[in-house]
Amino acid sequence: MRETVKLISMEGFEFVIDREAAMVSQTIRSMLTSPGGFSESKDGVVTFPDISTTILEKICQYFYWSLQYSRGKETKFHIEPELTLELMMAANYLHT
Amino acid sequence: MEPKIIDFEQGWDYIETGITALKRHSESLPVPKFTLEQYCDLYTAVYKMCVQKSPYDFSSQLYQKCCETMEEYMNSTVLPALNEKLGDEYMLLRELVERWSNYKVLVRALSHIFFYLQRFFIVRESLPSIETVGMGYFRDLVYNKLQSKVREAVLALVDKEREGEDIDRKVTKRVLEFYIEIGMERYEQDFESFMLKDTASYYSRKASSWIQEDDSINDYIFKSEQCLQKEKERVSHYLHFSSEPKLVKVVEHELFVVHENQILEKTHAEKQIGLGPLAKIFKQHVEDTTINAKEQVLIRKVIELHEVYMVTECFQSHTLFHKDLKRAVAGSDALLATFCDRIILKKWGSEELSEEDIEKVVMFLAYISDEKDIFAEFYRKKLALRLLLNRGVSDDHERSILTKLKQQNRGQFTFKMERMINDLTLSRENQNSFKEYVAKPGIGLTVTVLTSGIWPSYKTFGINLPNEMVKCVEVFKEFYETKTKGRKLTWIHSLGTCHVNGKFDQKSIELIVSTHQAVVLLLFNTKDKLSYNDIQTQLNVGHEDLVWLLYSLSCGKYKILIKEPATETVSRTDVFEFNSKFTARMCRVKIPLPHVNDKKKVIEDVDKDRRYAIDATIVRIMKGKKALGLQQLVSECVQQLNQMFKPDIKTIKMRIEDLITRDYLERDRENPNMFRYLA
């Protein structure tokens, strides 16, 4: 029974992904597992008003790829060059 | 998309509101709830303020502000709350625990929010993390000020519990966890050490009063055991596990060691069996008295102890004592044999050889020894030397010792030794007859006949005897044939002694040497100088043995022969000359042979004997049972052999295998763990 989390981009797009995938990001992980139990940590909805949809999409893809890679499947993760800068900033923010 | 620059004041205000909400959240105050969204926002705000280009890079200010916040929270909220409760110990503890947990939540949350700071700024500047800072504040502002009060409060609770009252264990546990979280050393120094002291004084008071009141030692022991149990429970309930051994030791010390003597006196008077803890004191006692004891003193002390405590029969059957005593006197079998030997030879001053001493030793031995056969072997060797070299005291004495040993152990133990003594008596009778037989006293020859197998095996080496000696040997052989037919005589010259008259320049000195040495010396009757090779050819002795002999005559204390060159060792190219200039103070001089340390050999011999014993036992068992499983065979073996020594299971198995290859036993075809006896 996998739990899911919802990530919302600045434009309002909602990405529903597995909890495990989302935890690849340290920031999201600490948000979801903070002691003191934030409300909605059970529902798991996080809004990112500074991250565009394209980037957020790529990030979700990255989460899944990261999980696969750590399980042994050594494929490549392709990044379109024009996304790199924003992607890196987002990665920095999300600590991943 | 140009990000909006956030001004510090603005940014901080925003964050501060968030933090206030967070504070309330950490105190579990109802409304407003702190949401994930807020958390996100705060985190983002921090992030933005840190990544802005300077001069808008507010990392360091943020850090500072964060720390200030924590400090301020401490001072404004936590401290006053605690100070309020100072009057009531119990309330103080509760408040402390609660504030501590709230504070932890707050700090954790803050550090998450400011995580971005953590990742870069703090690392870059090598500053302490927010959590560390937070803990630091708590420690400095709260802990240091209040900790002694807190401690007193806890100890008061503990004492209350000891007196039987119920206390709030949960709170106590949390307080102690708090201590540990502040730091293990704090726990140990500020709490544990005081606790141990308090415990010690508590129990010392209790112990004194109990010793006075209690008539029966059993009650005291019972109460003490209970206390010990309760203290252990206490540890599991709220103390840190590392305190357990220290606590136990303190309690034991106060209850037992301090009053050791009184307890033991009482026990003595009552002849009642002691329990576990008593065994512990006993062990302590034994250890205390045997540390640094020298051989002789050690044995004596041990025997004393044994006497004092084993008088009561009950003790003897108590296995705990067995174990403790054994441990305390490990490895003393050889010592024990040496002790007996020396006592008999009265080497230790003018100690009268008393019956009691021997009895004590024997009882002790019976009690203690797992490896009686090693003792037996050592004893046998020493006995042999005593008998052969006429060093011992009377035969009667030896016999009486053996009788006592026999009483304690089964016959087999002393069988050989009794035969040894018998041999000697027989030999003496023989000798008298021999003297009559020889009619004319031309040869001063005394022969002792030993039954082989009874005596320890001695190494000897052949040597070409000079004619005079050969004649003696022949004569004795004839004589012996008349007495008993069909026996083979092997001469052990290495044990024989000769009295040789050495005509030196200054005076004649009688030399007491071994037979071998005498033979070497007699060679010099005909020639003054002889080379190593000459001697070897004439005597037909092996190189090592000859070196040994010549060494004793030329390089020892008394140089009967002069060696050229005068080196420390004998080599094949040396030449020996009769030392006419030799002289000594006495008219009779003993030339000793360098002694070989045979302790190892004894143990080897014993090992061999054991293997034979195991073999014999296995065969005996199998003969009786015809077929037996492995486990049963092994356990039967162990049982039968336990009298003498503790057989090693592995060895038994090896011997079984060996017997199989020698066709004494066979493995059952179906069941590899069953054995059958082969007639």
Side-chain angles (χ1 to χ4, degrees):
Chain A
M1 232 314 273
R2 288 265 190 82
E3 291 166 1
T4 53
V5 290
K6 211 191 286 187
L7 307 178
I8 307 180
S9 74
M10 69 158 75
E11 285 102 6
F13 269 85
E14 300 176 353
F15 293 88
V16 178
I17 59 172
D18 290 331
R19 205 180 172 94
E20 196 188 347
M23 302 280 228
V24 174
S25 151
Q26 292 294 343
T27 317
I28 301 183
R29 176 186 293 218
S30 49
M31 285 189 201
L32 296 172
T33 58
S34 249
F38 296 122
S39 66
E40 292 145 73
S41 62
K42 291 206 185 107
D43 312 354
V45 178
V46 190
T47 325
F48 297 109
D50 301 309
I51 307 184
S52 75
T53 315
T54 358
I55 303 294
L56 193 52
E57 186 181 5
K58 204 72 189 172
I59 287 178
C60 291
Q61 285 171 3
Y62 174 76
F63 288 157
Y64 279 102
W65 176 84
S66 170
L67 287 183
Q68 278 184 348
Y69 193 90
S70 63
R71 289 197 194 116
K73 205 160 150 194
E74 298 194 4
T75 45
K76 292 205 206 279
F77 185 71
H78 188 250
I79 305 180
E80 284 81 24
E82 58 273 13
L83 295 178
T84 8
L85 181 60
E86 284 187 57
L87 199 57
M88 289 221 300
M89 292 196 23
N92 191 17
Y93 175 74
L94 290 175
H95 192 187
T96 174
Chain B
M1 184 190 58
E2 187 64 40
K4 200 163 48 141
I5 302 283
I6 305 179
D7 178 34
F8 185 71
E9 287 304 321
Q10 257 188 316
W12 181 250
D13 271 345
Y14 182 70
I15 292 182
E16 191 154 26
T17 359
I19 292 186
T20 325
L22 188 60
K23 284 186 201 166
R24 282 211 282 275
H25 165 81
S26 75
E27 299 192 9
S28 310
L29 288 172
V31 172
K33 260 207 172 332
F34 188 76
T35 62
L36 188 56
E37 207 180 314
Q38 283 173 290
Y39 176 82
C40 264
D41 286 342
L42 286 178
Y43 179 80
T44 317
V46 170
Y47 169 76
K48 287 208 185 124
M49 289 212 274
C50 291
V51 299
Q52 285 168 171
K53 301 209 194 78
S54 33
Y56 298 113
D57 173 5
F58 298 123
S59 305
S60 61
Q61 286 107 314
L62 280 177
Y63 181 75
Q64 224 177 329
K65 277 287 185 186
C66 180
C67 296
E68 277 170 22
T69 317
M70 291 193 287
E71 190 176 358
E72 191 252 330
Y73 176 75
M74 292 288 319
N75 282 323
S76 65
T77 338
V78 178
L79 270 182
L82 287 174
N83 282 328
E84 237 179 82
K85 304 281 194 298
L86 273 181
D88 182 339
E89 278 171 356
Y90 178 65
M91 292 307 290
L92 177 67
L93 291 181
R94 276 184 60 170
E95 191 69 30
L96 172 69
V97 162
E98 213 170 304
R99 290 283 158 194
W100 170 244
S101 92
N102 287 347
Y103 186 70
K104 270 196 286 186
V105 168
L106 179 65
V107 170
R108 182 74 60 82
L110 278 179
S111 101
H112 277 186
I113 291 177
F114 287 90
F115 194 59
Y116 195 79
L117 263 184
Q118 192 103 335
R119 279 168 68 191
F120 297 105
F121 177 69
I122 289 179
V123 171
R124 219 165 50 216
E125 306 285 328
S126 305
L127 290 166
S129 76
I130 295 183
E131 256 191 83
T132 324
V133 175
M135 294 309 160
Y137 285 136
F138 201 90
R139 191 176 48 235
D140 297 333
L141 299 173
V142 174
Y143 180 78
N144 286 342
K145 292 211 184 117
L146 296 178
Q147 69 103 344
S148 55
K149 282 222 155 35
V150 170
R151 176 182 63 236
E152 274 169 34
V154 176
L155 288 180
L157 283 180
V158 170
D159 276 341
K160 259 200 211 161
E161 195 183 34
R162 285 185 180 137
E163 293 296 318
E165 285 183 44
D166 265 330
I167 62 165
D168 188 344
R169 280 188 175 162
K170 254 170 64 192
V171 165
T172 334
K173 187 167 169 73
R174 287 172 75 183
V175 173
L176 288 170
E177 277 169 6
F178 162 66
Y179 262 101
I180 295 173
E181 278 173 51
I182 292 278
M184 248 335 253
E185 316 128 13
R186 296 308 179 106
Y187 173 73
E188 282 172 14
Q189 281 168 16
D190 297 333
F191 180 73
E192 200 181 42
S193 52
F194 286 90
M195 192 237 346
L196 291 174
K197 260 191 255 168
D198 186 68
T199 315
S201 63
Y202 178 79
Y203 278 110
S204 107
R205 272 174 292 149
K206 282 282 167 187
S208 331
S209 70
W210 287 345
I211 288 265
Q212 310 290 358
E213 311 168 343
D214 278 336
D215 287 326
S216 149
I217 196 69
N218 257 353
D219 282 347
Y220 181 80
I221 303 243
F222 183 67
K223 276 194 219 165
S224 314
E225 286 238 297
Q226 273 196 326
C227 286
L228 213 49
Q229 190 57 29
K230 270 196 251 161
E231 292 300 325
K232 285 198 190 147
E233 271 173 33
R234 191 155 300 131
V235 173
S236 68
H237 282 145
Y238 46 78
L239 295 176
H240 190 252
F241 68 84
S242 68
S243 303
E244 181 168 343
K246 300 181 211 170
L247 188 59
V248 166
K249 201 156 175 237
V250 167
V251 176
E252 277 182 358
H253 184 83
E254 290 302 325
L255 290 174
F256 295 123
V257 176
V258 167
H259 298 282
E260 214 168 52
N261 296 322
Q262 282 167 292
I263 298 178
L264 292 171
E265 266 172 35
K266 278 202 175 184
T267 326
H268 225 54
E270 290 176 39
K271 302 204 179 198
Q272 280 188 18
I273 202 166
L275 302 172
L278 199 52
K280 254 183 259 172
I281 330 164
F282 175 69
K283 180 163 98 157
Q284 197 58 44
H285 199 84
V286 170
E287 279 169 3
D288 289 338
T289 45
T290 58
I291 280 180
N292 291 330
K294 291 219 185 90
E295 233 177 57
Q296 162 190 7
V297 178
L298 172 67
I299 299 285
R300 277 202 170 274
K301 279 239 165 261
V302 170
I303 295 180
E304 267 170 41
L305 282 174
H306 180 190
E307 209 188 23
V308 168
Y309 300 125
M310 302 315 161
V311 167
T312 57
E313 295 214 338
C314 312
F315 275 19
Q316 274 183 335
S317 53
H318 207 274
T319 40
L320 276 169
F321 288 99
H322 276 243
K323 265 191 256 156
D324 287 332
L325 195 52
K326 262 191 208 154
R327 243 180 278 149
V329 214
S332 62
D333 302 295
L335 278 180
L336 210 48
T338 323
F339 176 80
C340 290
D341 183 52
R342 293 207 183 144
I343 254 199
I344 293 170
L345 298 182
K346 289 192 179 170
K347 265 200 184 153
W348 287 338
S350 57
E351 289 167 10
E352 267 309 312
L353 179 61
S354 62
E355 290 285 309
E356 296 172 37
D357 270 340
I358 302 296
E359 258 194 55
K360 282 187 220 167
V361 173
V362 169
M363 269 223 314
F364 181 62
L365 169 72
Y367 187 65
I368 244 254
S369 212
D370 251 349
E371 319 225 289
K372 296 198 179 93
D373 50 355
I374 292 195
F375 172 78
E377 195 58 26
F378 274 110
Y379 191 83
R380 198 159 68 107
K381 282 217 141 169
K382 303 248 179 226
L383 177 66
L385 284 177
R386 282 204 297 275
L387 295 174
L388 289 176
L389 302 177
N390 273 326
R391 282 199 218 148
V393 194
S394 63
D395 266 0
D396 289 335
H397 247 133
E398 301 281 358
R399 277 191 208 276
S400 76
I401 300 176
L402 287 182
T403 330
K404 297 214 174 60
L405 278 174
K406 192 154 79 159
Q407 279 169 352
Q408 286 295 326
N409 309 285
R410 295 234 290 216
Q412 242 235 327
F413 190 76
T414 47
F415 176 63
K416 285 187 181 171
M417 301 186 227
E418 285 181 338
R419 285 287 296 271
M420 279 159 74
I421 302 189
N422 284 344
D423 265 356
L424 274 190
T425 330
L426 209 60
S427 263
R428 258 178 246 135
E429 286 171 16
N430 252 351
Q431 183 60 26
N432 290 332
S433 332
F434 181 60
K435 274 224 177 79
E436 290 167 11
Y437 178 87
V438 169
K440 58 174 166 75
I443 337 155
L445 176 65
T446 316
V447 180
T448 318
V449 180
L450 313 173
T451 317
S452 68
I454 303 291
W455 293 75
S457 48
Y458 291 110
K459 238 181 58 165
T460 188
F461 49 93
I463 195 170
N464 284 348
L465 294 174
N467 289 333
E468 304 95 334
M469 292 196 186
V470 172
K471 250 201 287 179
C472 297
V473 169
E474 292 293 314
V475 173
F476 187 80
K477 246 186 160 158
E478 281 173 20
F479 163 75
Y480 201 70
E481 283 285 303
T482 64
K483 285 246 147 179
T484 38
K485 297 214 184 321
R487 289 202 185 158
K488 177 162 175 263
L489 289 174
T490 313
W491 293 85
I492 313 258
H493 294 299
S494 47
L495 288 178
T497 32
C498 278
H499 294 229
V500 177
N501 246 327
K503 293 202 172 57
F504 300 101
D505 287 345
Q506 278 215 12
K507 62 180 182 193
S508 293
I509 303 184
E510 192 178 325
L511 302 167
I512 306 180
V513 290
S514 80
T515 315
H516 290 132
Q517 286 169 311
V519 172
V520 171
L521 290 177
L522 285 175
L523 285 179
F524 288 85
N525 263 347
T526 40
K527 273 201 173 172
D528 267 347
K529 241 193 183 161
L530 284 167
S531 76
Y532 177 88
N533 284 325
D534 291 333
I535 304 182
Q536 193 173 37
T537 7
Q538 292 209 22
L539 294 184
N540 198 11
V541 175
H543 173 63
E544 277 190 26
D545 297 322
L546 190 54
V547 165
W548 188 52
L549 282 177
L550 289 171
Y551 184 88
S552 66
L553 293 170
S554 58
C555 306
K557 189 167 157 203
Y558 302 108
K559 294 187 173 46
I560 316 292
L561 301 175
I562 309 179
K563 185 166 81 87
E564 275 164 43
T567 50
E568 277 304 305
T569 50
V570 175
S571 63
R572 291 181 197 268
T573 49
D574 288 345
V575 175
F576 294 87
E577 188 182 341
F578 174 67
N579 184 8
S580 48
K581 305 240 182 308
F582 174 76
T583 188
R585 225 167 15 115
M586 321 276 261
C587 346
R588 192 187 261 192
V589 162
K590 187 170 185 306
I591 315 283
L593 276 169
H595 193 52
V596 173
N597 185 357
D598 51 6
K599 183 164 177 189
K600 250 207 279 182
K601 189 157 179 307
V602 171
I603 300 199
E604 273 175 31
D605 283 340
V606 171
D607 259 343
K608 250 196 278 168
D609 283 338
R610 283 185 182 175
R611 265 181 267 146
Y612 295 141
I614 298 180
D615 280 350
T617 321
I618 297 178
V619 173
R620 194 172 44 235
I621 298 174
M622 290 307 295
K623 207 168 176 184
K625 301 274 174 76
K626 297 287 180 235
L628 207 58
L630 177 64
Q631 283 297 74
Q632 284 159 289
L633 182 54
V634 170
S635 59
E636 277 275 343
C637 244
V638 171
Q639 219 185 355
Q640 291 202 13
L641 290 168
N642 240 341
Q643 281 289 321
M644 288 300 272
F645 63 94
K646 227 184 179 157
D648 179 34
I649 309 257
K650 250 194 185 161
T651 327
I652 298 184
K653 289 197 173 153
M654 266 179 20
R655 298 321 298 159
I656 297 180
E657 294 293 327
D658 194 59
L659 286 169
I660 294 179
T661 53
R662 280 153 56 194
D663 278 339
Y664 279 91
L665 305 174
E666 72 171 357
R667 270 224 160 83
D668 191 49
R669 242 140 300 199
E670 288 109 45
N671 182 357
N673 268 352
M674 282 283 284
F675 300 100
R676 240 179 258 287
Y677 178 69
L678 289 175

